[in-house]
Amino acid sequence: MFKGEDRAPARAFLRAMGLSDDQIYRRMVAVSNTWNEITPCQSSLKRVSESVKKGVVAGGGTPVEFGTITVSDGISMGTEGMKYSLVSREIIADSIEAVVRAHKYDCLVGLGGCDKTIPGTLMAMARLNVPSVFVYAGSMLPGSHGGRDITIQDVYEAVGAYQSGKIFKPELEEIERAACPGAGTCAGLFTANTMASLTEVMGMSLEGDASTSAVSSGREEIGSKAGQTVLGTEILPRDIFTWEAFENAITLDAAMGGSTNAVLHLIAIAHEAAVKLSIDDFDRISRKVPQLVSMKPGGEHVMFDLHKSGGVTAVLKQLNRRNLLHNTVTVSGEHLFERIERYRQNVSYNIVRDLNTPISHHGGIAILKGNLAPEGAVVKTANLKKLYHKGPARVFECEEDAFNAVKNDSIKENDVVIIRNEGPKGGPGMREMLAVTAALVGKGLGEKVALVTDGRFSGATHGLMVGHVSPEAYVGGPIASLCDGDSVMIDVGNRAIVASANLRNLPSKKGQVSGVLSKYRSMVSSASNGAVTTG
Ligand code: FES
């Protein structure tokens, strides 16, 4: 791109930005940055990208930083804005691909934080297949209220508690002010921390990247190392994104009780890397992997607790004792088992259970099938108290209608709340139902009702909540013909989701959309195939 007489115009542009001959002829490292002032999940990344760039220079390259977008789930949740969240994953992947290919950069360091920025960046890396390293923004520290650690999840649930008169406005305000003490991604094992952990076990990021907090100086160290590593590695993303690496990721997700969004995102990344992964792989692996940590939302701990216990490698160490992992290569050239062997347990603080005394003998994700979801639906089983529910359907055509019903106390014990037309095409954009699920918890109904949707859930959702129902209502999935009062049975043990009614394929085409949502609706695949937009 920058060598030879005919490329003089391209060099002239670089000289206009102050680059010297030496800098122009070095290897060019693209630094894609999702930094912005929209959300704390991204706000520390400016600092980290400076370290990445120093690392690139120290490694003998020239860094070229550019920005891409973020949609904040934490801010848009419960509104029409959330329809753009999953769409943003594709925009991030597409924009990084376009910039790196257009300018033929030699390598890529991708910085991400909030949920969609991680899979979006990894999807671009899989497409581009140039030497790449992912760097995470890092988790937020927990807030504190009433002597206990709290996160953004507590604010959502406090809204439900306030609406049902369990707490008063001053306490809601206290929780709002205390929950998010500074920069970083949501502090529990929600989607961002889940995806960062899975990125680390797959080997696309450096050791410790997932659990080092956003405010730690360790982030600069990781950034600088990443900048150097990308210039020294001969390992390409598609050497890393192997079927075995995806199996390792699913295994870790099961052991940690990670977010249901991991199902969607891992399938999408695998699709871009030409690896065949299906939702059934999640169920197969989850059945044999024990759950070893009890993380929020359903459990007690936050990501900072896992970091003090040794991070992701502490969990891997236990899993490897039962040969549950493959010895895959990582971006530094080191193999996964070398990372695990080097690890020494911090015995003074440890939240990771021994393999012989797990929290549960099964992993945290199950795939349900039946006449309501012939292509499958996803449920998080980690820390779930109730595995069976049968009750009458309460059908809502969108998230807002369901939220208002919860708010107005029209949802009763034993109901199965159905929210349809929220799938990838139907929404469009497959919104997360956290406002509804948190309101149910806040009202004290979290363990007394079930929820089923062709939309998806935030990583902060807990309770018997079944999402990603496929096929979705918009394309005529059976969920479209369910009626109020039809009996719905959810039997996690037998992996079944069955309605008593005779369900038909009845497309429930909903509303016109414009702009990027219309483009997305016409291209996106079903949730069971990762909701991808590339063929
Ligand atoms: Fe950004 Fe949770 S909303 S990480």
Side-chain angles (χ1 to χ4, degrees), residues 389 391-396 398 401-403 405-406 411-412 414-420 436 440 445 449-453 457 464-466 479 482 488 490:
H389 185 99
R394 295 289 314 280
V395 180
F396 300 95
C398 67
D401 291 355
F403 182 77
V406 178
I411 301 298
K412 306 292 175 217
N414 212 36
D415 281 350
V416 180
V417 178
I418 307 285
I419 310 178
R420 63 190 178 197
V436 180
L440 287 169
L445 288 168
V449 299
L451 190 149
V452 176
T453 179
F457 298 116
L464 188 51
M465 311 292 176
V466 182
I479 191 173
L482 201 65
V488 174
I490 301 161

PDB file of all heavy atoms in Angstrom, residues 389 391-396 398 401-403 405-406 411-412 414-420 436 440 445 449-453 457 464-466 479 482 488 490:
ATOM      1  N   HIS A 389     -41.532 -25.904  35.154  1.00  0.00           N
ATOM      2  CA  HIS A 389     -42.630 -24.954  35.352  1.00  0.00           C
ATOM      3  C   HIS A 389     -43.730 -25.271  34.341  1.00  0.00           C
ATOM      4  O   HIS A 389     -43.460 -25.509  33.171  1.00  0.00           O
ATOM      5  CB  HIS A 389     -42.146 -23.519  35.138  1.00  0.00           C
ATOM      6  CG  HIS A 389     -43.184 -22.483  35.436  1.00  0.00           C
ATOM      7  ND1 HIS A 389     -43.227 -21.804  36.636  1.00  0.00           N
ATOM      8  CD2 HIS A 389     -44.225 -22.018  34.688  1.00  0.00           C
ATOM      9  CE1 HIS A 389     -44.262 -20.962  36.613  1.00  0.00           C
ATOM     10  NE2 HIS A 389     -44.876 -21.072  35.442  1.00  0.00           N
ATOM     11  N   GLY A 391     -47.622 -23.660  33.323  1.00  0.00           N
ATOM     12  CA  GLY A 391     -48.610 -22.643  33.664  1.00  0.00           C
ATOM     13  C   GLY A 391     -49.241 -22.058  32.427  1.00  0.00           C
ATOM     14  O   GLY A 391     -48.866 -22.379  31.288  1.00  0.00           O
ATOM     15  N   PRO A 392     -50.234 -21.172  32.623  1.00  0.00           N
ATOM     16  CA  PRO A 392     -50.935 -20.567  31.488  1.00  0.00           C
ATOM     17  C   PRO A 392     -50.107 -19.466  30.816  1.00  0.00           C
ATOM     18  O   PRO A 392     -49.445 -18.684  31.494  1.00  0.00           O
ATOM     19  CB  PRO A 392     -52.194 -19.975  32.132  1.00  0.00           C
ATOM     20  CG  PRO A 392     -51.799 -19.714  33.544  1.00  0.00           C
ATOM     21  CD  PRO A 392     -50.767 -20.731  33.923  1.00  0.00           C
ATOM     22  N   ALA A 393     -50.192 -19.431  29.484  1.00  0.00           N
ATOM     23  CA  ALA A 393     -49.460 -18.398  28.741  1.00  0.00           C
ATOM     24  C   ALA A 393     -50.129 -17.041  28.931  1.00  0.00           C
ATOM     25  O   ALA A 393     -51.354 -16.935  28.911  1.00  0.00           O
ATOM     26  CB  ALA A 393     -49.426 -18.760  27.261  1.00  0.00           C
ATOM     27  N   ARG A 394     -49.299 -16.015  29.126  1.00  0.00           N
ATOM     28  CA  ARG A 394     -49.769 -14.620  29.081  1.00  0.00           C
ATOM     29  C   ARG A 394     -49.003 -13.985  27.933  1.00  0.00           C
ATOM     30  O   ARG A 394     -47.804 -13.731  28.052  1.00  0.00           O
ATOM     31  CB  ARG A 394     -49.449 -13.903  30.401  1.00  0.00           C
ATOM     32  CG  ARG A 394     -50.193 -14.467  31.604  1.00  0.00           C
ATOM     33  CD  ARG A 394     -51.678 -14.126  31.551  1.00  0.00           C
ATOM     34  NE  ARG A 394     -51.929 -12.727  31.223  1.00  0.00           N
ATOM     35  CZ  ARG A 394     -51.844 -11.718  32.107  1.00  0.00           C
ATOM     36  NH1 ARG A 394     -51.546 -11.959  33.368  1.00  0.00           N
ATOM     37  NH2 ARG A 394     -52.060 -10.485  31.726  1.00  0.00           N
ATOM     38  N   VAL A 395     -49.688 -13.784  26.829  1.00  0.00           N
ATOM     39  CA  VAL A 395     -48.993 -13.437  25.588  1.00  0.00           C
ATOM     40  C   VAL A 395     -48.908 -11.923  25.383  1.00  0.00           C
ATOM     41  O   VAL A 395     -49.922 -11.217  25.480  1.00  0.00           O
ATOM     42  CB  VAL A 395     -49.705 -14.087  24.378  1.00  0.00           C
ATOM     43  CG1 VAL A 395     -48.979 -13.740  23.081  1.00  0.00           C
ATOM     44  CG2 VAL A 395     -49.775 -15.603  24.556  1.00  0.00           C
ATOM     45  N   PHE A 396     -47.706 -11.436  25.082  1.00  0.00           N
ATOM     46  CA  PHE A 396     -47.492 -10.011  24.793  1.00  0.00           C
ATOM     47  C   PHE A 396     -46.766  -9.886  23.459  1.00  0.00           C
ATOM     48  O   PHE A 396     -45.882 -10.677  23.141  1.00  0.00           O
ATOM     49  CB  PHE A 396     -46.681  -9.355  25.913  1.00  0.00           C
ATOM     50  CG  PHE A 396     -47.375  -9.446  27.235  1.00  0.00           C
ATOM     51  CD1 PHE A 396     -47.070 -10.475  28.117  1.00  0.00           C
ATOM     52  CD2 PHE A 396     -48.370  -8.545  27.571  1.00  0.00           C
ATOM     53  CE1 PHE A 396     -47.737 -10.586  29.329  1.00  0.00           C
ATOM     54  CE2 PHE A 396     -49.043  -8.645  28.783  1.00  0.00           C
ATOM     55  CZ  PHE A 396     -48.727  -9.672  29.659  1.00  0.00           C
ATOM     56  N   CYS A 398     -44.933  -7.330  22.482  1.00  0.00           N
ATOM     57  CA  CYS A 398     -43.659  -6.613  22.556  1.00  0.00           C
ATOM     58  C   CYS A 398     -43.263  -6.456  24.017  1.00  0.00           C
ATOM     59  O   CYS A 398     -44.071  -6.688  24.933  1.00  0.00           O
ATOM     60  CB  CYS A 398     -43.740  -5.241  21.882  1.00  0.00           C
ATOM     61  SG  CYS A 398     -44.832  -4.093  22.731  1.00  0.00           S
ATOM     62  N   ASP A 401     -45.305  -3.941  26.383  1.00  0.00           N
ATOM     63  CA  ASP A 401     -46.605  -4.421  26.886  1.00  0.00           C
ATOM     64  C   ASP A 401     -46.395  -5.343  28.084  1.00  0.00           C
ATOM     65  O   ASP A 401     -47.144  -5.296  29.063  1.00  0.00           O
ATOM     66  CB  ASP A 401     -47.364  -5.177  25.783  1.00  0.00           C
ATOM     67  CG  ASP A 401     -47.827  -4.243  24.668  1.00  0.00           C
ATOM     68  OD1 ASP A 401     -47.635  -3.020  24.811  1.00  0.00           O
ATOM     69  OD2 ASP A 401     -48.354  -4.748  23.653  1.00  0.00           O
ATOM     70  N   ALA A 402     -45.377  -6.191  27.998  1.00  0.00           N
ATOM     71  CA  ALA A 402     -45.101  -7.114  29.113  1.00  0.00           C
ATOM     72  C   ALA A 402     -44.647  -6.336  30.341  1.00  0.00           C
ATOM     73  O   ALA A 402     -45.072  -6.613  31.479  1.00  0.00           O
ATOM     74  CB  ALA A 402     -44.037  -8.124  28.696  1.00  0.00           C
ATOM     75  N   PHE A 403     -43.794  -5.327  30.131  1.00  0.00           N
ATOM     76  CA  PHE A 403     -43.288  -4.541  31.262  1.00  0.00           C
ATOM     77  C   PHE A 403     -44.447  -3.833  31.977  1.00  0.00           C
ATOM     78  O   PHE A 403     -44.515  -3.826  33.210  1.00  0.00           O
ATOM     79  CB  PHE A 403     -42.251  -3.517  30.771  1.00  0.00           C
ATOM     80  CG  PHE A 403     -41.638  -2.709  31.874  1.00  0.00           C
ATOM     81  CD1 PHE A 403     -40.657  -3.247  32.694  1.00  0.00           C
ATOM     82  CD2 PHE A 403     -42.063  -1.409  32.120  1.00  0.00           C
ATOM     83  CE1 PHE A 403     -40.100  -2.511  33.735  1.00  0.00           C
ATOM     84  CE2 PHE A 403     -41.518  -0.664  33.159  1.00  0.00           C
ATOM     85  CZ  PHE A 403     -40.523  -1.217  33.962  1.00  0.00           C
ATOM     86  N   ALA A 405     -47.522  -4.766  32.074  1.00  0.00           N
ATOM     87  CA  ALA A 405     -48.337  -5.765  32.785  1.00  0.00           C
ATOM     88  C   ALA A 405     -47.687  -6.116  34.129  1.00  0.00           C
ATOM     89  O   ALA A 405     -48.380  -6.272  35.143  1.00  0.00           O
ATOM     90  CB  ALA A 405     -48.499  -7.015  31.933  1.00  0.00           C
ATOM     91  N   VAL A 406     -46.349  -6.220  34.141  1.00  0.00           N
ATOM     92  CA  VAL A 406     -45.658  -6.512  35.409  1.00  0.00           C
ATOM     93  C   VAL A 406     -45.844  -5.319  36.356  1.00  0.00           C
ATOM     94  O   VAL A 406     -46.195  -5.479  37.526  1.00  0.00           O
ATOM     95  CB  VAL A 406     -44.145  -6.772  35.173  1.00  0.00           C
ATOM     96  CG1 VAL A 406     -43.443  -7.033  36.512  1.00  0.00           C
ATOM     97  CG2 VAL A 406     -43.933  -7.958  34.233  1.00  0.00           C
ATOM     98  N   ILE A 411     -49.494  -9.664  36.208  1.00  0.00           N
ATOM     99  CA  ILE A 411     -48.866 -10.987  36.084  1.00  0.00           C
ATOM    100  C   ILE A 411     -49.019 -11.695  37.428  1.00  0.00           C
ATOM    101  O   ILE A 411     -48.714 -11.130  38.486  1.00  0.00           O
ATOM    102  CB  ILE A 411     -47.363 -10.856  35.718  1.00  0.00           C
ATOM    103  CG1 ILE A 411     -47.192 -10.094  34.408  1.00  0.00           C
ATOM    104  CG2 ILE A 411     -46.705 -12.233  35.642  1.00  0.00           C
ATOM    105  CD1 ILE A 411     -47.800 -10.743  33.193  1.00  0.00           C
ATOM    106  N   LYS A 412     -49.511 -12.933  37.357  1.00  0.00           N
ATOM    107  CA  LYS A 412     -49.776 -13.676  38.597  1.00  0.00           C
ATOM    108  C   LYS A 412     -48.821 -14.855  38.725  1.00  0.00           C
ATOM    109  O   LYS A 412     -48.264 -15.331  37.725  1.00  0.00           O
ATOM    110  CB  LYS A 412     -51.230 -14.204  38.599  1.00  0.00           C
ATOM    111  CG  LYS A 412     -52.281 -13.134  38.366  1.00  0.00           C
ATOM    112  CD  LYS A 412     -52.359 -12.176  39.544  1.00  0.00           C
ATOM    113  CE  LYS A 412     -53.325 -11.013  39.266  1.00  0.00           C
ATOM    114  NZ  LYS A 412     -52.897  -9.746  39.810  1.00  0.00           N
ATOM    115  N   ASN A 414     -47.299 -18.386  38.770  1.00  0.00           N
ATOM    116  CA  ASN A 414     -47.507 -19.532  37.871  1.00  0.00           C
ATOM    117  C   ASN A 414     -47.657 -19.168  36.394  1.00  0.00           C
ATOM    118  O   ASN A 414     -47.608 -20.041  35.534  1.00  0.00           O
ATOM    119  CB  ASN A 414     -48.717 -20.373  38.321  1.00  0.00           C
ATOM    120  CG  ASN A 414     -48.506 -21.825  37.982  1.00  0.00           C
ATOM    121  OD1 ASN A 414     -47.371 -22.287  38.075  1.00  0.00           O
ATOM    122  ND2 ASN A 414     -49.540 -22.526  37.572  1.00  0.00           N
ATOM    123  N   ASP A 415     -47.865 -17.883  36.072  1.00  0.00           N
ATOM    124  CA  ASP A 415     -47.994 -17.490  34.663  1.00  0.00           C
ATOM    125  C   ASP A 415     -46.708 -17.808  33.889  1.00  0.00           C
ATOM    126  O   ASP A 415     -45.611 -17.812  34.456  1.00  0.00           O
ATOM    127  CB  ASP A 415     -48.238 -15.972  34.542  1.00  0.00           C
ATOM    128  CG  ASP A 415     -49.690 -15.603  34.832  1.00  0.00           C
ATOM    129  OD1 ASP A 415     -50.528 -16.513  34.941  1.00  0.00           O
ATOM    130  OD2 ASP A 415     -49.967 -14.382  34.965  1.00  0.00           O
ATOM    131  N   VAL A 416     -46.877 -18.030  32.588  1.00  0.00           N
ATOM    132  CA  VAL A 416     -45.718 -18.089  31.690  1.00  0.00           C
ATOM    133  C   VAL A 416     -45.819 -16.861  30.788  1.00  0.00           C
ATOM    134  O   VAL A 416     -46.694 -16.793  29.914  1.00  0.00           O
ATOM    135  CB  VAL A 416     -45.708 -19.384  30.844  1.00  0.00           C
ATOM    136  CG1 VAL A 416     -44.483 -19.399  29.924  1.00  0.00           C
ATOM    137  CG2 VAL A 416     -45.701 -20.619  31.745  1.00  0.00           C
ATOM    138  N   VAL A 417     -44.976 -15.892  31.027  1.00  0.00           N
ATOM    139  CA  VAL A 417     -45.011 -14.644  30.255  1.00  0.00           C
ATOM    140  C   VAL A 417     -44.367 -14.911  28.900  1.00  0.00           C
ATOM    141  O   VAL A 417     -43.216 -15.347  28.821  1.00  0.00           O
ATOM    142  CB  VAL A 417     -44.240 -13.524  31.001  1.00  0.00           C
ATOM    143  CG1 VAL A 417     -44.232 -12.237  30.173  1.00  0.00           C
ATOM    144  CG2 VAL A 417     -44.827 -13.297  32.379  1.00  0.00           C
ATOM    145  N   ILE A 418     -45.143 -14.680  27.834  1.00  0.00           N
ATOM    146  CA  ILE A 418     -44.637 -14.891  26.468  1.00  0.00           C
ATOM    147  C   ILE A 418     -44.430 -13.512  25.834  1.00  0.00           C
ATOM    148  O   ILE A 418     -45.371 -12.719  25.762  1.00  0.00           O
ATOM    149  CB  ILE A 418     -45.651 -15.686  25.608  1.00  0.00           C
ATOM    150  CG1 ILE A 418     -46.066 -16.996  26.284  1.00  0.00           C
ATOM    151  CG2 ILE A 418     -45.128 -15.900  24.186  1.00  0.00           C
ATOM    152  CD1 ILE A 418     -45.068 -18.106  26.255  1.00  0.00           C
ATOM    153  N   ILE A 419     -43.206 -13.234  25.397  1.00  0.00           N
ATOM    154  CA  ILE A 419     -42.966 -11.966  24.677  1.00  0.00           C
ATOM    155  C   ILE A 419     -42.478 -12.332  23.281  1.00  0.00           C
ATOM    156  O   ILE A 419     -41.390 -12.889  23.116  1.00  0.00           O
ATOM    157  CB  ILE A 419     -41.933 -11.076  25.393  1.00  0.00           C
ATOM    158  CG1 ILE A 419     -42.280 -10.926  26.876  1.00  0.00           C
ATOM    159  CG2 ILE A 419     -41.877  -9.709  24.709  1.00  0.00           C
ATOM    160  CD1 ILE A 419     -41.275 -10.106  27.671  1.00  0.00           C
ATOM    161  N   ARG A 420     -43.303 -12.042  22.269  1.00  0.00           N
ATOM    162  CA  ARG A 420     -42.944 -12.424  20.905  1.00  0.00           C
ATOM    163  C   ARG A 420     -42.794 -11.196  20.004  1.00  0.00           C
ATOM    164  O   ARG A 420     -43.037 -10.079  20.436  1.00  0.00           O
ATOM    165  CB  ARG A 420     -43.976 -13.394  20.337  1.00  0.00           C
ATOM    166  CG  ARG A 420     -45.361 -12.811  20.196  1.00  0.00           C
ATOM    167  CD  ARG A 420     -46.348 -13.906  19.852  1.00  0.00           C
ATOM    168  NE  ARG A 420     -47.703 -13.413  19.759  1.00  0.00           N
ATOM    169  CZ  ARG A 420     -48.787 -14.194  19.799  1.00  0.00           C
ATOM    170  NH1 ARG A 420     -48.657 -15.503  19.947  1.00  0.00           N
ATOM    171  NH2 ARG A 420     -49.989 -13.676  19.711  1.00  0.00           N
ATOM    172  N   VAL A 436     -37.949  -6.255  31.952  1.00  0.00           N
ATOM    173  CA  VAL A 436     -39.074  -7.097  32.381  1.00  0.00           C
ATOM    174  C   VAL A 436     -38.622  -8.113  33.419  1.00  0.00           C
ATOM    175  O   VAL A 436     -39.252  -8.276  34.471  1.00  0.00           O
ATOM    176  CB  VAL A 436     -39.700  -7.845  31.175  1.00  0.00           C
ATOM    177  CG1 VAL A 436     -40.865  -8.719  31.638  1.00  0.00           C
ATOM    178  CG2 VAL A 436     -40.154  -6.868  30.105  1.00  0.00           C
ATOM    179  N   LEU A 440     -39.790  -8.386  37.333  1.00  0.00           N
ATOM    180  CA  LEU A 440     -40.397  -9.588  37.934  1.00  0.00           C
ATOM    181  C   LEU A 440     -39.677  -9.949  39.230  1.00  0.00           C
ATOM    182  O   LEU A 440     -40.304 -10.261  40.245  1.00  0.00           O
ATOM    183  CB  LEU A 440     -40.337 -10.769  36.947  1.00  0.00           C
ATOM    184  CG  LEU A 440     -41.300 -10.718  35.760  1.00  0.00           C
ATOM    185  CD1 LEU A 440     -40.943 -11.792  34.727  1.00  0.00           C
ATOM    186  CD2 LEU A 440     -42.743 -10.916  36.236  1.00  0.00           C
ATOM    187  N   LEU A 445     -41.549 -12.019  42.002  1.00  0.00           N
ATOM    188  CA  LEU A 445     -42.108 -13.094  41.164  1.00  0.00           C
ATOM    189  C   LEU A 445     -41.029 -13.903  40.436  1.00  0.00           C
ATOM    190  O   LEU A 445     -41.339 -14.804  39.659  1.00  0.00           O
ATOM    191  CB  LEU A 445     -43.060 -12.494  40.117  1.00  0.00           C
ATOM    192  CG  LEU A 445     -44.394 -11.969  40.650  1.00  0.00           C
ATOM    193  CD1 LEU A 445     -45.103 -11.138  39.577  1.00  0.00           C
ATOM    194  CD2 LEU A 445     -45.292 -13.118  41.097  1.00  0.00           C
ATOM    195  N   VAL A 449     -42.769 -17.313  38.370  1.00  0.00           N
ATOM    196  CA  VAL A 449     -43.271 -17.314  37.001  1.00  0.00           C
ATOM    197  C   VAL A 449     -42.128 -17.746  36.081  1.00  0.00           C
ATOM    198  O   VAL A 449     -40.985 -17.847  36.510  1.00  0.00           O
ATOM    199  CB  VAL A 449     -43.754 -15.910  36.553  1.00  0.00           C
ATOM    200  CG1 VAL A 449     -44.877 -15.408  37.421  1.00  0.00           C
ATOM    201  CG2 VAL A 449     -42.596 -14.919  36.560  1.00  0.00           C
ATOM    202  N   ALA A 450     -42.458 -18.008  34.812  1.00  0.00           N
ATOM    203  CA  ALA A 450     -41.418 -18.259  33.810  1.00  0.00           C
ATOM    204  C   ALA A 450     -41.635 -17.253  32.684  1.00  0.00           C
ATOM    205  O   ALA A 450     -42.714 -16.652  32.571  1.00  0.00           O
ATOM    206  CB  ALA A 450     -41.530 -19.681  33.283  1.00  0.00           C
ATOM    207  N   LEU A 451     -40.601 -17.059  31.883  1.00  0.00           N
ATOM    208  CA  LEU A 451     -40.722 -16.128  30.760  1.00  0.00           C
ATOM    209  C   LEU A 451     -40.138 -16.799  29.517  1.00  0.00           C
ATOM    210  O   LEU A 451     -39.094 -17.457  29.596  1.00  0.00           O
ATOM    211  CB  LEU A 451     -39.984 -14.831  31.085  1.00  0.00           C
ATOM    212  CG  LEU A 451     -40.204 -13.650  30.132  1.00  0.00           C
ATOM    213  CD1 LEU A 451     -40.103 -12.334  30.902  1.00  0.00           C
ATOM    214  CD2 LEU A 451     -39.199 -13.630  28.993  1.00  0.00           C
ATOM    215  N   VAL A 452     -40.831 -16.655  28.411  1.00  0.00           N
ATOM    216  CA  VAL A 452     -40.388 -17.267  27.145  1.00  0.00           C
ATOM    217  C   VAL A 452     -40.443 -16.195  26.064  1.00  0.00           C
ATOM    218  O   VAL A 452     -41.455 -15.506  25.937  1.00  0.00           O
ATOM    219  CB  VAL A 452     -41.312 -18.445  26.755  1.00  0.00           C
ATOM    220  CG1 VAL A 452     -40.903 -19.016  25.395  1.00  0.00           C
ATOM    221  CG2 VAL A 452     -41.296 -19.542  27.818  1.00  0.00           C
ATOM    222  N   THR A 453     -39.374 -16.068  25.294  1.00  0.00           N
ATOM    223  CA  THR A 453     -39.355 -15.025  24.259  1.00  0.00           C
ATOM    224  C   THR A 453     -38.514 -15.433  23.058  1.00  0.00           C
ATOM    225  O   THR A 453     -37.587 -16.246  23.184  1.00  0.00           O
ATOM    226  CB  THR A 453     -38.802 -13.699  24.839  1.00  0.00           C
ATOM    227  OG1 THR A 453     -38.782 -12.706  23.805  1.00  0.00           O
ATOM    228  CG2 THR A 453     -37.402 -13.845  25.379  1.00  0.00           C
ATOM    229  N   PHE A 457     -31.856 -12.215  26.369  1.00  0.00           N
ATOM    230  CA  PHE A 457     -31.757 -11.678  27.717  1.00  0.00           C
ATOM    231  C   PHE A 457     -30.420 -10.992  27.920  1.00  0.00           C
ATOM    232  O   PHE A 457     -29.416 -11.376  27.329  1.00  0.00           O
ATOM    233  CB  PHE A 457     -31.903 -12.796  28.747  1.00  0.00           C
ATOM    234  CG  PHE A 457     -33.235 -13.466  28.686  1.00  0.00           C
ATOM    235  CD1 PHE A 457     -33.337 -14.788  28.345  1.00  0.00           C
ATOM    236  CD2 PHE A 457     -34.396 -12.747  28.934  1.00  0.00           C
ATOM    237  CE1 PHE A 457     -34.579 -15.410  28.254  1.00  0.00           C
ATOM    238  CE2 PHE A 457     -35.641 -13.353  28.848  1.00  0.00           C
ATOM    239  CZ  PHE A 457     -35.731 -14.685  28.513  1.00  0.00           C
ATOM    240  N   LEU A 464     -36.122 -18.436  35.716  1.00  0.00           N
ATOM    241  CA  LEU A 464     -36.436 -19.376  34.630  1.00  0.00           C
ATOM    242  C   LEU A 464     -36.888 -18.584  33.402  1.00  0.00           C
ATOM    243  O   LEU A 464     -38.081 -18.364  33.184  1.00  0.00           O
ATOM    244  CB  LEU A 464     -37.506 -20.376  35.089  1.00  0.00           C
ATOM    245  CG  LEU A 464     -37.797 -21.532  34.116  1.00  0.00           C
ATOM    246  CD1 LEU A 464     -36.534 -22.239  33.671  1.00  0.00           C
ATOM    247  CD2 LEU A 464     -38.753 -22.529  34.736  1.00  0.00           C
ATOM    248  N   MET A 465     -35.920 -18.151  32.617  1.00  0.00           N
ATOM    249  CA  MET A 465     -36.174 -17.266  31.486  1.00  0.00           C
ATOM    250  C   MET A 465     -35.631 -17.940  30.220  1.00  0.00           C
ATOM    251  O   MET A 465     -34.429 -18.170  30.108  1.00  0.00           O
ATOM    252  CB  MET A 465     -35.459 -15.919  31.690  1.00  0.00           C
ATOM    253  CG  MET A 465     -35.692 -15.291  33.065  1.00  0.00           C
ATOM    254  SD  MET A 465     -37.394 -14.740  33.301  1.00  0.00           S
ATOM    255  CE  MET A 465     -37.366 -14.175  35.017  1.00  0.00           C
ATOM    256  N   VAL A 466     -36.526 -18.262  29.294  1.00  0.00           N
ATOM    257  CA  VAL A 466     -36.146 -18.999  28.086  1.00  0.00           C
ATOM    258  C   VAL A 466     -36.153 -18.037  26.901  1.00  0.00           C
ATOM    259  O   VAL A 466     -37.188 -17.428  26.596  1.00  0.00           O
ATOM    260  CB  VAL A 466     -37.145 -20.150  27.824  1.00  0.00           C
ATOM    261  CG1 VAL A 466     -36.718 -20.955  26.599  1.00  0.00           C
ATOM    262  CG2 VAL A 466     -37.266 -21.054  29.047  1.00  0.00           C
ATOM    263  N   ILE A 479     -44.422 -19.992  18.082  1.00  0.00           N
ATOM    264  CA  ILE A 479     -44.698 -19.040  19.174  1.00  0.00           C
ATOM    265  C   ILE A 479     -45.715 -17.983  18.719  1.00  0.00           C
ATOM    266  O   ILE A 479     -46.448 -17.413  19.533  1.00  0.00           O
ATOM    267  CB  ILE A 479     -43.378 -18.378  19.672  1.00  0.00           C
ATOM    268  CG1 ILE A 479     -43.622 -17.606  20.973  1.00  0.00           C
ATOM    269  CG2 ILE A 479     -42.744 -17.501  18.615  1.00  0.00           C
ATOM    270  CD1 ILE A 479     -42.351 -17.057  21.631  1.00  0.00           C
ATOM    271  N   LEU A 482     -49.451 -18.989  19.582  1.00  0.00           N
ATOM    272  CA  LEU A 482     -49.820 -19.257  20.976  1.00  0.00           C
ATOM    273  C   LEU A 482     -50.862 -18.231  21.445  1.00  0.00           C
ATOM    274  O   LEU A 482     -50.803 -17.068  21.068  1.00  0.00           O
ATOM    275  CB  LEU A 482     -48.549 -19.141  21.832  1.00  0.00           C
ATOM    276  CG  LEU A 482     -48.525 -19.832  23.188  1.00  0.00           C
ATOM    277  CD1 LEU A 482     -48.608 -21.350  23.023  1.00  0.00           C
ATOM    278  CD2 LEU A 482     -47.252 -19.477  23.936  1.00  0.00           C
ATOM    279  N   VAL A 488     -48.290 -23.990  28.954  1.00  0.00           N
ATOM    280  CA  VAL A 488     -46.899 -24.127  28.488  1.00  0.00           C
ATOM    281  C   VAL A 488     -46.095 -24.844  29.568  1.00  0.00           C
ATOM    282  O   VAL A 488     -46.145 -24.466  30.741  1.00  0.00           O
ATOM    283  CB  VAL A 488     -46.271 -22.739  28.198  1.00  0.00           C
ATOM    284  CG1 VAL A 488     -44.797 -22.877  27.853  1.00  0.00           C
ATOM    285  CG2 VAL A 488     -47.018 -22.039  27.065  1.00  0.00           C
ATOM    286  N   ILE A 490     -42.257 -26.062  30.744  1.00  0.00           N
ATOM    287  CA  ILE A 490     -40.805 -25.947  30.561  1.00  0.00           C
ATOM    288  C   ILE A 490     -40.176 -26.981  31.484  1.00  0.00           C
ATOM    289  O   ILE A 490     -40.341 -26.916  32.709  1.00  0.00           O
ATOM    290  CB  ILE A 490     -40.308 -24.532  30.940  1.00  0.00           C
ATOM    291  CG1 ILE A 490     -41.003 -23.485  30.065  1.00  0.00           C
ATOM    292  CG2 ILE A 490     -38.799 -24.436  30.823  1.00  0.00           C
ATOM    293  CD1 ILE A 490     -40.942 -22.086  30.639  1.00  0.00           C
TER     294      ILE A 490
END
